Amino acid sequence: MLLDKFQSMAGVRAELEAIGIVPFGAVTEKITSATEGVVNGHQVILAGTNNYLGMSFDTRCIASAQAAAETWGTGTTGSRMANGTFAEHIALEQELAQFYGVDQAIVFTTGYAATQGMCATLAGPGDVILLDADSHASIYAGAQLSGAEIIRFKHSDTNDLEKRLRRLGDRTGNTLIVVEGIYSMLGDVAPLKEIAELKRRYGGYLLVDEAHSMGVLGEHGRGAAEAAGVEDDVDFIAGTFSKSLGATGGFCVSRHALLEAIRFSVRSYIFTASATPGVIASVRTALKIITAEPQRRERLWENAQLLYTGLKQLGLAVGPSVSPVVAVTIEDRVEALQSWQKLLEAGVYVNLVVPPASPSEKSMLRCSVSAAHSPEQIDHIIAAFAAVNAARPVGIPVA
Amino acid sequence: MPNYNIYVDYIYTVLRTIKQDVEFTENTDLVTELGLSSLQVMELIEHIEDHFDISISLNILPDINTVGDLARKLQELNG
């Protein structure tokens, strides 16, 4: 029967609810700052919100959103190609293009719509999408919609990427290489310098999703491509407003003049309502702030260093390098579930990631650091992990 | 170019590293019988790609259920 395939998911949820663990769809009942709130009845430090620069509670962004709602109303009630392009959307596109030093930018309603839409549109039947194995679901979804041949390469393995480019022969001219700046699960940075060099050697087009690296990497916060010094090699940069810019929405910028024509081929742009004026206004203000206040990025990395080092010293299996995403890998799903719940009870909210959402068969307790975290809050997060670890007979089994 | 039987033999070799003490045939279903997770299926694909120096498109996966399906598809695509 049609709905039978959902029975196993319903069973898992019922099992978890019976033991009082509700990890997915946890309810945030109150937010008191960029780093604190009440989740599932627990007063917590928010350590799993991707709010890297702490912009979600910036008073200037809030004021911009309020003013825009007064001026433009609560919603656009239409798509960008119909009645949903307001002057605010155009202004933001111009400011994003300026931020990245290119001529073309498209603003989308969500980050998912941006990456999914661009992947689905740039490549088509007869083309090839060569994507990193650990790519976000929106990239896989776009690739599937594109009708292109989808080939994945081993995560951040440039030898494997090169083999696949070589095998493509003269088809590389019809190939879109898709990678992320910082990978969302383990927080590792793509080897963009090497990837750009391969693209130069073999051909093809390169799209970098800077969702987790915009505002985080690079001298001006433009992301991993800026940090690697390869912006001229990147054909398309996609990203989101829902992380470093503290709102919601997505974008794509490009040095290719044809982006303006591509805009009118992207279904996730054409057939959905545009972002609300309040969101666009807050993003415009946030973009100005992160440009003018690079010290936010410095604080973020100081906090990332503190958390990464603290959790590593506990003997936990953290990622390969210091990053604003600090993921603790745990072999067993039930252990991960129980640890997530205990952290919540100890006043710390992190993301629980279990297969198939995790990049391996293992589960993860994924933390994301914010510039807005105080050193005391970082200490509290580390202490909560230590307490949860110590409460177990053999500690959290490290990977 | 490898033929169907060479592909089947190599798939068996890889499957033995993933699922020990299990007998395989060309009709063995990778997911419903062997219980391979999506990550294990990708692991199998990566081994085949490295061994034969080919890239396997993800687009073929929905049509693959059994060892034989995979070997036939590989032969069809790569000779």
mmCIF file of all heavy atoms in Angstrom, chain A residues 140 148-152 154 160 163-164 166-167 356 358-361, chain B residues 37-40 42-43 46 49-50 52-59:
data_model
loop_
_atom_site.group_PDB
_atom_site.id
_atom_site.type_symbol
_atom_site.label_atom_id
_atom_site.label_comp_id
_atom_site.label_asym_id
_atom_site.label_seq_id
_atom_site.Cartn_x
_atom_site.Cartn_y
_atom_site.Cartn_z
ATOM 1 N N TYR A 140 22.203 16.877 -4.062
ATOM 2 C CA TYR A 140 21.762 15.588 -4.632
ATOM 3 C C TYR A 140 20.381 15.733 -5.293
ATOM 4 O O TYR A 140 20.138 15.205 -6.376
ATOM 5 C CB TYR A 140 21.713 14.508 -3.547
ATOM 6 C CG TYR A 140 23.047 13.822 -3.294
ATOM 7 C CD1 TYR A 140 23.867 14.198 -2.244
ATOM 8 C CD2 TYR A 140 23.475 12.785 -4.124
ATOM 9 C CE1 TYR A 140 25.080 13.568 -2.014
ATOM 10 C CE2 TYR A 140 24.685 12.138 -3.909
ATOM 11 C CZ TYR A 140 25.491 12.531 -2.851
ATOM 12 O OH TYR A 140 26.688 11.906 -2.635
ATOM 13 N N ALA A 148 20.924 15.120 -15.734
ATOM 14 C CA ALA A 148 22.319 14.889 -16.111
ATOM 15 C C ALA A 148 22.809 13.565 -15.534
ATOM 16 O O ALA A 148 22.191 13.004 -14.625
ATOM 17 C CB ALA A 148 23.192 16.028 -15.583
ATOM 18 N N GLU A 149 23.923 13.086 -16.079
ATOM 19 C CA GLU A 149 24.573 11.908 -15.504
ATOM 20 C C GLU A 149 25.248 12.346 -14.199
ATOM 21 O O GLU A 149 25.989 13.327 -14.181
ATOM 22 C CB GLU A 149 25.611 11.376 -16.495
ATOM 23 C CG GLU A 149 26.260 10.097 -16.059
ATOM 24 C CD GLU A 149 27.245 9.561 -17.109
ATOM 25 O OE1 GLU A 149 27.144 9.964 -18.286
ATOM 26 O OE2 GLU A 149 28.106 8.768 -16.722
ATOM 27 N N ILE A 150 24.980 11.629 -13.119
ATOM 28 C CA ILE A 150 25.509 12.032 -11.811
ATOM 29 C C ILE A 150 26.632 11.082 -11.417
ATOM 30 O O ILE A 150 26.438 9.871 -11.303
ATOM 31 C CB ILE A 150 24.421 11.983 -10.720
ATOM 32 C CG1 ILE A 150 23.177 12.751 -11.159
ATOM 33 C CG2 ILE A 150 24.961 12.531 -9.402
ATOM 34 C CD1 ILE A 150 21.944 12.434 -10.328
ATOM 35 N N ILE A 151 27.805 11.644 -11.227
ATOM 36 C CA ILE A 151 28.956 10.855 -10.776
ATOM 37 C C ILE A 151 29.466 11.494 -9.500
ATOM 38 O O ILE A 151 29.626 12.722 -9.438
ATOM 39 C CB ILE A 151 30.067 10.836 -11.845
ATOM 40 C CG1 ILE A 151 29.560 10.124 -13.099
ATOM 41 C CG2 ILE A 151 31.318 10.148 -11.310
ATOM 42 C CD1 ILE A 151 30.499 10.235 -14.278
ATOM 43 N N ARG A 152 29.673 10.682 -8.480
ATOM 44 C CA ARG A 152 30.183 11.274 -7.247
ATOM 45 C C ARG A 152 31.636 10.863 -7.039
ATOM 46 O O ARG A 152 32.052 9.775 -7.444
ATOM 47 C CB ARG A 152 29.314 10.909 -6.046
ATOM 48 C CG ARG A 152 29.302 9.449 -5.680
ATOM 49 C CD ARG A 152 28.540 9.225 -4.397
ATOM 50 N NE ARG A 152 29.228 8.204 -3.598
ATOM 51 C CZ ARG A 152 29.004 7.971 -2.335
ATOM 52 N NH1 ARG A 152 28.113 8.659 -1.682
ATOM 53 N NH2 ARG A 152 29.667 7.036 -1.695
ATOM 54 N N LYS A 154 34.914 10.583 -4.116
ATOM 55 C CA LYS A 154 35.104 10.388 -2.685
ATOM 56 C C LYS A 154 35.319 11.738 -2.007
ATOM 57 O O LYS A 154 35.997 12.616 -2.565
ATOM 58 C CB LYS A 154 36.295 9.464 -2.421
ATOM 59 C CG LYS A 154 36.062 8.046 -2.900
ATOM 60 C CD LYS A 154 37.317 7.204 -2.769
ATOM 61 C CE LYS A 154 37.148 5.870 -3.482
ATOM 62 N NZ LYS A 154 38.393 5.112 -3.581
ATOM 63 N N ASP A 160 40.768 11.107 -6.424
ATOM 64 C CA ASP A 160 39.577 10.456 -6.983
ATOM 65 C C ASP A 160 38.887 11.393 -7.980
ATOM 66 O O ASP A 160 38.432 10.954 -9.038
ATOM 67 C CB ASP A 160 38.627 10.064 -5.849
ATOM 68 C CG ASP A 160 37.582 9.077 -6.319
ATOM 69 O OD1 ASP A 160 37.952 8.073 -6.957
ATOM 70 O OD2 ASP A 160 36.382 9.318 -6.076
ATOM 71 N N LYS A 163 40.783 11.274 -11.208
ATOM 72 C CA LYS A 163 40.521 10.048 -11.977
ATOM 73 C C LYS A 163 39.220 10.186 -12.765
ATOM 74 O O LYS A 163 39.124 9.804 -13.936
ATOM 75 C CB LYS A 163 40.411 8.851 -11.020
ATOM 76 C CG LYS A 163 41.733 8.218 -10.655
ATOM 77 C CD LYS A 163 41.548 6.886 -9.967
ATOM 78 C CE LYS A 163 41.188 7.044 -8.517
ATOM 79 N NZ LYS A 163 41.194 5.803 -7.747
ATOM 80 N N ARG A 164 38.234 10.739 -12.116
ATOM 81 C CA ARG A 164 36.917 10.825 -12.760
ATOM 82 C C ARG A 164 36.907 11.869 -13.878
ATOM 83 O O ARG A 164 36.259 11.679 -14.915
ATOM 84 C CB ARG A 164 35.849 11.089 -11.707
ATOM 85 C CG ARG A 164 35.687 9.869 -10.816
ATOM 86 C CD ARG A 164 34.916 10.140 -9.553
ATOM 87 N NE ARG A 164 35.065 9.024 -8.624
ATOM 88 C CZ ARG A 164 34.387 7.887 -8.700
ATOM 89 N NH1 ARG A 164 33.529 7.707 -9.674
ATOM 90 N NH2 ARG A 164 34.585 6.932 -7.820
ATOM 91 N N ARG A 166 39.546 12.565 -15.658
ATOM 92 C CA ARG A 166 40.286 11.914 -16.736
ATOM 93 C C ARG A 166 39.388 10.954 -17.514
ATOM 94 O O ARG A 166 39.388 10.937 -18.746
ATOM 95 C CB ARG A 166 41.498 11.167 -16.141
ATOM 96 C CG ARG A 166 42.270 10.310 -17.135
ATOM 97 C CD ARG A 166 43.458 9.613 -16.494
ATOM 98 N NE ARG A 166 43.177 8.862 -15.285
ATOM 99 C CZ ARG A 166 42.591 7.662 -15.240
ATOM 100 N NH1 ARG A 166 42.188 7.087 -16.357
ATOM 101 N NH2 ARG A 166 42.406 7.043 -14.083
ATOM 102 N N ARG A 167 38.587 10.173 -16.764
ATOM 103 C CA ARG A 167 37.710 9.199 -17.436
ATOM 104 C C ARG A 167 36.673 9.885 -18.326
ATOM 105 O O ARG A 167 36.209 9.308 -19.305
ATOM 106 C CB ARG A 167 36.974 8.358 -16.373
ATOM 107 C CG ARG A 167 37.864 7.369 -15.639
ATOM 108 C CD ARG A 167 37.114 6.774 -14.458
ATOM 109 N NE ARG A 167 37.990 6.046 -13.563
ATOM 110 C CZ ARG A 167 37.732 5.848 -12.273
ATOM 111 N NH1 ARG A 167 36.624 6.320 -11.729
ATOM 112 N NH2 ARG A 167 38.571 5.175 -11.526
ATOM 113 N N PRO A 356 20.649 7.849 7.789
ATOM 114 C CA PRO A 356 21.548 8.116 6.667
ATOM 115 C C PRO A 356 21.966 9.591 6.528
ATOM 116 O O PRO A 356 22.657 9.919 5.566
ATOM 117 C CB PRO A 356 20.701 7.698 5.467
ATOM 118 C CG PRO A 356 19.303 8.024 5.862
ATOM 119 C CD PRO A 356 19.236 7.770 7.348
ATOM 120 N N SER A 358 24.035 11.181 8.415
ATOM 121 C CA SER A 358 25.460 11.325 8.707
ATOM 122 C C SER A 358 26.273 10.763 7.534
ATOM 123 O O SER A 358 25.781 9.919 6.784
ATOM 124 C CB SER A 358 25.812 10.598 9.998
ATOM 125 O OG SER A 358 25.479 9.240 9.903
ATOM 126 N N PRO A 359 27.520 11.232 7.407
ATOM 127 C CA PRO A 359 28.309 10.778 6.254
ATOM 128 C C PRO A 359 28.879 9.369 6.391
ATOM 129 O O PRO A 359 29.588 8.902 5.511
ATOM 130 C CB PRO A 359 29.441 11.816 6.177
ATOM 131 C CG PRO A 359 29.519 12.427 7.520
ATOM 132 C CD PRO A 359 28.179 12.303 8.156
ATOM 133 N N SER A 360 28.610 8.686 7.507
ATOM 134 C CA SER A 360 29.072 7.306 7.657
ATOM 135 C C SER A 360 27.982 6.524 8.380
ATOM 136 O O SER A 360 26.884 7.026 8.596
ATOM 137 C CB SER A 360 30.370 7.269 8.481
ATOM 138 O OG SER A 360 30.089 7.602 9.832
ATOM 139 N N GLU A 361 28.294 5.280 8.773
ATOM 140 C CA GLU A 361 27.319 4.464 9.487
ATOM 141 C C GLU A 361 27.207 4.902 10.949
ATOM 142 O O GLU A 361 26.396 4.377 11.698
ATOM 143 C CB GLU A 361 27.722 2.981 9.436
ATOM 144 C CG GLU A 361 27.847 2.397 8.035
ATOM 145 C CD GLU A 361 26.510 2.051 7.410
ATOM 146 O OE1 GLU A 361 25.477 2.302 8.042
ATOM 147 O OE2 GLU A 361 26.508 1.537 6.266
ATOM 148 N N SER B 37 23.060 -1.268 3.483
ATOM 149 C CA SER B 37 22.585 0.105 3.652
ATOM 150 C C SER B 37 22.995 0.892 2.406
ATOM 151 O O SER B 37 23.799 0.426 1.591
ATOM 152 C CB SER B 37 23.221 0.734 4.892
ATOM 153 O OG SER B 37 24.617 0.860 4.691
ATOM 154 N N SER B 38 22.450 2.108 2.283
ATOM 155 C CA SER B 38 22.813 2.919 1.116
ATOM 156 C C SER B 38 24.321 3.200 1.113
ATOM 157 O O SER B 38 24.950 3.239 0.056
ATOM 158 C CB SER B 38 22.019 4.223 1.114
ATOM 159 O OG SER B 38 22.198 4.925 2.326
ATOM 160 N N LEU B 39 24.900 3.379 2.295
ATOM 161 C CA LEU B 39 26.346 3.634 2.359
ATOM 162 C C LEU B 39 27.137 2.401 1.921
ATOM 163 O O LEU B 39 28.178 2.506 1.271
ATOM 164 C CB LEU B 39 26.752 4.045 3.779
ATOM 165 C CG LEU B 39 26.350 5.465 4.193
ATOM 166 C CD1 LEU B 39 26.563 5.669 5.679
ATOM 167 C CD2 LEU B 39 27.143 6.495 3.412
ATOM 168 N N GLN B 40 26.639 1.208 2.276
ATOM 169 C CA GLN B 40 27.336 -0.019 1.857
ATOM 170 C C GLN B 40 27.220 -0.240 0.353
ATOM 171 O O GLN B 40 28.162 -0.736 -0.274
ATOM 172 C CB GLN B 40 26.782 -1.226 2.625
ATOM 173 C CG GLN B 40 27.255 -1.257 4.078
ATOM 174 C CD GLN B 40 26.571 -2.339 4.887
ATOM 175 O OE1 GLN B 40 25.367 -2.567 4.757
ATOM 176 N NE2 GLN B 40 27.337 -3.012 5.738
ATOM 177 N N MET B 42 27.112 2.154 -1.783
ATOM 178 C CA MET B 42 28.084 3.081 -2.373
ATOM 179 C C MET B 42 29.515 2.565 -2.208
ATOM 180 O O MET B 42 30.363 2.768 -3.066
ATOM 181 C CB MET B 42 27.941 4.473 -1.756
ATOM 182 C CG MET B 42 26.645 5.193 -2.101
ATOM 183 S SD MET B 42 26.095 5.027 -3.811
ATOM 184 C CE MET B 42 27.514 5.650 -4.691
ATOM 185 N N GLU B 43 29.757 1.882 -1.084
ATOM 186 C CA GLU B 43 31.076 1.292 -0.853
ATOM 187 C C GLU B 43 31.363 0.234 -1.928
ATOM 188 O O GLU B 43 32.454 0.171 -2.506
ATOM 189 C CB GLU B 43 31.091 0.652 0.542
ATOM 190 C CG GLU B 43 32.431 0.188 1.035
ATOM 191 C CD GLU B 43 32.316 -0.542 2.370
ATOM 192 O OE1 GLU B 43 31.377 -0.252 3.145
ATOM 193 O OE2 GLU B 43 33.140 -1.423 2.621
ATOM 194 N N GLU B 46 32.104 1.984 -5.198
ATOM 195 C CA GLU B 46 33.459 2.584 -5.218
ATOM 196 C C GLU B 46 34.530 1.524 -5.474
ATOM 197 O O GLU B 46 35.494 1.763 -6.206
ATOM 198 C CB GLU B 46 33.734 3.288 -3.896
ATOM 199 C CG GLU B 46 33.035 4.637 -3.789
ATOM 200 C CD GLU B 46 33.269 5.322 -2.455
ATOM 201 O OE1 GLU B 46 34.020 4.762 -1.614
ATOM 202 O OE2 GLU B 46 32.679 6.388 -2.234
ATOM 203 N N GLU B 49 34.433 0.706 -9.128
ATOM 204 C CA GLU B 49 34.988 1.816 -9.920
ATOM 205 C C GLU B 49 36.519 1.798 -9.893
ATOM 206 O O GLU B 49 37.179 1.939 -10.918
ATOM 207 C CB GLU B 49 34.476 3.151 -9.366
ATOM 208 C CG GLU B 49 32.996 3.397 -9.657
ATOM 209 C CD GLU B 49 32.492 4.685 -9.022
ATOM 210 O OE1 GLU B 49 32.820 4.925 -7.837
ATOM 211 O OE2 GLU B 49 31.792 5.437 -9.693
ATOM 212 N N ASP B 50 37.072 1.632 -8.684
ATOM 213 C CA ASP B 50 38.540 1.633 -8.561
ATOM 214 C C ASP B 50 39.147 0.439 -9.286
ATOM 215 O O ASP B 50 40.161 0.560 -9.972
ATOM 216 C CB ASP B 50 38.939 1.601 -7.075
ATOM 217 C CG ASP B 50 38.750 2.962 -6.413
ATOM 218 O OD1 ASP B 50 38.641 3.960 -7.145
ATOM 219 O OD2 ASP B 50 38.696 3.015 -5.172
ATOM 220 N N PHE B 52 38.015 -1.455 -11.809
ATOM 221 C CA PHE B 52 37.918 -1.474 -13.281
ATOM 222 C C PHE B 52 38.265 -0.113 -13.915
ATOM 223 O O PHE B 52 38.152 0.050 -15.133
ATOM 224 C CB PHE B 52 36.505 -1.904 -13.703
ATOM 225 C CG PHE B 52 36.191 -3.336 -13.351
ATOM 226 C CD1 PHE B 52 35.350 -3.628 -12.280
ATOM 227 C CD2 PHE B 52 36.745 -4.387 -14.065
ATOM 228 C CE1 PHE B 52 35.062 -4.943 -11.937
ATOM 229 C CE2 PHE B 52 36.462 -5.711 -13.736
ATOM 230 C CZ PHE B 52 35.626 -5.992 -12.663
ATOM 231 N N ASP B 53 38.632 0.854 -13.075
ATOM 232 C CA ASP B 53 38.962 2.214 -13.539
ATOM 233 C C ASP B 53 37.823 2.801 -14.382
ATOM 234 O O ASP B 53 38.016 3.246 -15.519
ATOM 235 C CB ASP B 53 40.278 2.222 -14.337
ATOM 236 C CG ASP B 53 40.793 3.654 -14.531
ATOM 237 O OD1 ASP B 53 40.424 4.539 -13.720
ATOM 238 O OD2 ASP B 53 41.539 3.890 -15.492
ATOM 239 N N ILE B 54 36.635 2.778 -13.788
ATOM 240 C CA ILE B 54 35.451 3.341 -14.461
ATOM 241 C C ILE B 54 34.710 4.233 -13.460
ATOM 242 O O ILE B 54 34.958 4.160 -12.258
ATOM 243 C CB ILE B 54 34.470 2.230 -14.946
ATOM 244 C CG1 ILE B 54 34.070 1.334 -13.746
ATOM 245 C CG2 ILE B 54 35.084 1.422 -16.072
ATOM 246 C CD1 ILE B 54 32.990 0.323 -14.064
ATOM 247 N N SER B 55 33.861 5.090 -13.974
ATOM 248 C CA SER B 55 32.955 5.849 -13.104
ATOM 249 C C SER B 55 31.540 5.353 -13.346
ATOM 250 O O SER B 55 31.103 5.246 -14.498
ATOM 251 C CB SER B 55 33.035 7.347 -13.415
ATOM 252 O OG SER B 55 34.289 7.868 -13.023
ATOM 253 N N ILE B 56 30.858 5.030 -12.273
ATOM 254 C CA ILE B 56 29.492 4.503 -12.388
ATOM 255 C C ILE B 56 28.518 5.623 -12.033
ATOM 256 O O ILE B 56 28.574 6.190 -10.945
ATOM 257 C CB ILE B 56 29.287 3.300 -11.451
ATOM 258 C CG1 ILE B 56 30.252 2.177 -11.836
ATOM 259 C CG2 ILE B 56 27.835 2.828 -11.497
ATOM 260 C CD1 ILE B 56 30.249 1.006 -10.879
ATOM 261 N N SER B 57 27.639 5.937 -12.946
ATOM 262 C CA SER B 57 26.671 7.006 -12.718
ATOM 263 C C SER B 57 25.653 6.580 -11.657
ATOM 264 O O SER B 57 25.170 5.442 -11.646
ATOM 265 C CB SER B 57 25.961 7.299 -14.040
ATOM 266 O OG SER B 57 24.780 7.984 -13.798
ATOM 267 N N LEU B 58 25.319 7.513 -10.771
ATOM 268 C CA LEU B 58 24.296 7.196 -9.760
ATOM 269 C C LEU B 58 22.937 6.939 -10.401
ATOM 270 O O LEU B 58 22.073 6.305 -9.802
ATOM 271 C CB LEU B 58 24.158 8.357 -8.764
ATOM 272 C CG LEU B 58 25.370 8.735 -7.916
ATOM 273 C CD1 LEU B 58 24.981 9.738 -6.842
ATOM 274 C CD2 LEU B 58 26.013 7.516 -7.265
ATOM 275 N N ASN B 59 22.756 7.437 -11.616
ATOM 276 C CA ASN B 59 21.460 7.300 -12.288
ATOM 277 C C ASN B 59 21.051 5.859 -12.510
ATOM 278 O O ASN B 59 19.871 5.564 -12.666
ATOM 279 C CB ASN B 59 21.495 8.009 -13.650
ATOM 280 C CG ASN B 59 22.046 9.405 -13.566
ATOM 281 O OD1 ASN B 59 23.143 9.586 -13.081
ATOM 282 N ND2 ASN B 59 21.306 10.397 -14.030
#
